[in-house]
Amino acid sequence: MSEQDARHKIKDFIMAQFLPGEDPAELTDQTPLISGGILDSIATLQLVMFLEENYKVSFEAYEVDKDNLDTLDLIVRLLATKTRL
Amino acid sequence: MNGSGAVAGSGATPIAPGSISFKGLVVIGLQLVLVLLALRQFQIESGAFRTLAAIAFAGWLVHALLPLDWRLPFFAVLSLASIPLVLGTQNALWLIGIGAVLIGACHLPIAVRWRSILLLALGALLIAQRSSWLPVPWSEAIWPILGSMFMFRLIVYFYDLRHDRAPVTPAHAVGYFAMLPNACFPLFPVVDFKTWRRSHYAQDAEATYQRGVDWIARGILHLVLYRYFYYHLTLTPSEVDTPADLLQYLVANFMLYLRVSGLFHLVVGMLHLYGFHLPETHNRYLLASSFTDFWRRINIYWKDFMQKIFYFPAVFKLKRFGTNTAIVLATLWVFVLTWLLHSYQWFWLRGSWLLAWHDALFWTILGVLVVINSLIEIKRGRSRSLGQQAVSWRRVAMTVAKTYGIFWFICVLWSFWTAESIGDWLGMWSALGGAWSPQVLLFPALALLVIVLGSIPQSQPGKVQVARRNQPWHWRERLATLALLVAMIGISFEPVHRHAGPEYATVVHSLRSAHLSRLDNAKLERGYYEGLMSVDRFNSQLWEVYSRKPTNWLDVENAGLKRYVGGFAQTELVPLLISSTRHGQVSTNRWGLRDQHYEQSRPEGAFRAVMLGASSVMGWGVGDDETFEALIEKRFNAQPPVQGFTRFEILNFGIPGYQPPQQLLALERALKFEPQAVLFVATGREQTRSVAYMAEAVAKDLPVPEPALQSLLQRARVSPGMDETEAQRKLTPLGNEILQIVYHRIVERSRAAGAKPVWIFLPQVREGSWQEETPETLRTAQAAGFEIINLDSVYRGHDIATLRLAEWDDHPNRFGHRLVAEMILAKLDAAPQLLFDTPARR
C-alpha cells in the first residue's frame, strides 16, 4: 500500500468516525487534529487501534502525542517509519 | 517568518524566528507597564511576586533583544536568580543543591532501571526528611517550593529523557525546574517538559508575547473575581439557613477555584513572555457540557500529565482485554492516582498526608461519571466540526441545558469534596426546609446568564486555529486586554470607586488587598482559641499560611499539656508537668495550674485572685515567668498597689481551648482556693465560641452543668447526639442568651463566695471580624455585674508581626504579654477599686 493510499484510508476513518457529515475538503494534511480538539484522548486511542489493526504495526504509549499524531501528515510519517510505506 | 513558518506582522515581510519589530516591542512593553500597575493596585499575590514580576518584565525586554540562542540560557539564569530573591541565599543554595542532585541522578550514565531506583531512593530520603523522621540542615521554608518544582516535573522530565531523543542542555534542565515564577508559587501547573521545550518560539514571537500579556491580564481578572467570592460570598455550612444560602454556598465554594485558574494564567502568561507558546491551562470550565468535557477543560495540564504518564501506558498494557475495557480500567486508574497524588502534593506542601475518605469518594464519583461519559462518547461519538457550524437555536438550547445541569452537579460535588466532614455537608441540606424567598433565584439566574452568553456559538476550534495563524495581529484580543487592564486599573483608584457610592467603594476597596476572608480569619481564630490547625483543602487560602509552618511547630493541642477528664469540661492541664518548648519552659503545679506552687487555703494576710481564661491566659508561647498573669503578680509584690496585704497571689486557671461555658466548671475549681477576686479574661467571639461549645456538648451528649443552659437547649430543640453543625445552626440565634447565662452565673457564684468578679477584655493581636461581637459582649458583661477592664487598645500602634508568635499562630509573644501586663497594671493603678476593696497605697 502506498503512502497516498494510507493517507486516504486514514482520512476516511477520521471523517467517518469523528467528523460525520463534515466536508472532507476541510480536512487537510495540516489540519491540527489534537491541538484543534478533533482528537481527544479517546479518539486518539481509537485512531491508534485502527492503525494497529489495519497496518499490523504496534505503537508505544509515548508515541501517542501531538508530535506524532497532530496532523494527517504526521500520522502518515509515523506510519511510514513503522511499515516502510 | 515565525518559528513554524507562518507569516507574522503585516503579513508581507518575513521576519526572523523570535524577532519582534520596534513597534511591537513598545506595544507589548506598554501593556506590561499596565499589568504591573494592575498587580500593584490590586496587591496581587505576595510582595515577592510583584517584585519578581517587575524583574521578569524588565528581563523580558532584555531577553527579546538577545540573539535567539542566548534566550533560553538567559531564562534559565533569571529563573535561578529568582530563587534567592524569594527564599534568601542560604535557602536557595540548599534548594538548588538538592535540585542538582535530583537532576544529576536523571542523567547518570547508568541503566534506566538503576537511575529509577536511585531516584526512588532519593525521593524516599526526602520524604523521611519532610516528615521530620530525619534531621535536615536546611530551613523548613524550602519544602513547599522544592516540592512544587520537583514532585511532578521530575517524573515528566525522567519520562521524556527516556523517550524523547532530542538532546537536553543544562539550560533546558535549569529553566524547566527553576521556571520563573515558581519560587513564589507552591501551587504551580504541571508543565510538560516536551511541550515546554518544543513550544520555545514555535510561533511568531510577538503573537506569543501578546498571548502572554492576554493571559496575565485574564489571570488578574480571575484573582480579583476570586476575591469577590472569597471575601463576600463564602459561607460556612452552619450559616446556611435558607435555600438561597444553600445556592450561594454551592456557587461560591466552586468559584474559589478561580484562584487556581488565575494563578495558572499568570504563570503560563509569564512563560509566554520568554517565548514558550504553551497551551492553555483552563478552557472555560464553567461551560463544560459533560463530565468528560469538564475533565478536559479544568486544569488541562494535570489532565495531560495524567494522560501521558499513566493513562496511555495503562491502556496499552490493558488493550489485550479490548479497547473499551482498557479505557474504562485506565480511566479509573487515573482517578485513583489523582486522589493519591493530591495527597502526595499536600504532603510536599504541608508536610502531612491528606487522606480523607470523602476525598476518595469524590474522586471515585467523578471517575465513574467520566467513565460512563466516555463509554457514551465511544458509542455515540462526540460532536466535532471542521468549519463554522450553522447556528441552531435548538442546538444552543440543548448545549445550555446540558451545561447548566453539569454546572450545578459539579457545584454539589465540589461542595461535598471541600466540606470539612460528611456531617457538615449533609446537615447543610436541611436548609432546603428554610424560608424560600425571591433571592433563591439570584445564583441560578446568574449562572444561566453566564452559560447562555458563553454557549452562543462563536467559531469552531479547528477552523479558528487555522484562520488565526494567517491573521497579522490579534487585534480583538489585544484591545480586549487593554480595555480590561485600563478598566481594572481605573476602578482601583479611590476617587473613581468612591464616586460610585460607598457600598461599591467598600467592595472595590476589599478587592484591592490580599487578606484572609472572614471565614479563614475565623478559622485562624479557631486555631488560636482551640489549637485546631486543620486546613485540609486548597479551597481555603489559609493553607498557604500553614504551608510555611514548620512541621515540628508545637501547637497547644499537641503539646501534651492537657488530659481528658470527661464531663462537660472534657479536659484540664496535666499536673506537675515540666516541658521545654521553643518558647520557654511550661510547668504546672500539683493543682494542674500553670503557675508556681500555692496552698489551697489562702495564706493569712494575702490577697488572692484567680484568673480564668484560655491559652493566652495560660501563656501559650511564653515561658513560665513571662505570662501577663505572672508579670502582674510580680509587680504587685514588688510594689503593692494597695495597703493591708502581706502578699499578692494570682492563680492562673487558664486552660487552652476553654470556651466560656467551660469556665463555669473552672470557676467552681477556682473558688475552692478562697479568692477575693475572680478575673475572667474574655477574648473575641465570646458568643460564637459559646455557641460552638454548646453545639459540641450536644453532639457529644456532655452533661451540661447549668440548669439555665439545660432549659435553653430544650427551647432550641437540640437533642443529644445531634449533628454538631445542625445544633450550631439552631443555637446561633441564642448566642447572646448563652453568654448572658454564663456571665450571670460567674458573677453570682463569685459574689456568693466573697470574690469580686472582674471582666478583662483581651483583644486578639490580629484585627478581624471577631471585633463585630465585642460591643455586645461588653454590654453583656456590664449587665451581668462585672467590673470591667477593657484592654481593647493594648496592641494599637504595634505591628502584628512584633506581637504574635508566628504567622500561623496568633498567640501573643513575650512582648505581647508585657504590653498586656503593663496596661492592666496601669488601669489598676488608676482605679484600684476595680480589683481591691481596700484603700490604694499612696
Side-chain angles (χ1 to χ4, degrees), chain B residues 582-597:
Chain B
R582 65 168 74 206
H583 312 297
Q585 183 169 290
V586 177
S587 48
T588 57
N589 63 21
R590 66 179 163 132
W591 307 111
L593 310 180
R594 199 216 174 160
D595 219 324
Q596 55 187 293
H597 175 71

Side-chain angles (χ1 to χ4, degrees), chain A residues 29-49:
Chain A
D29 292 346
Q30 276 80 42
T31 301
L33 298 170
I34 294 178
S35 49
I38 292 164
L39 295 184
D40 52 41
S41 58
I42 296 172
T44 308
L45 285 170
Q46 285 175 312
L47 173 67
V48 167
M49 303 304 171

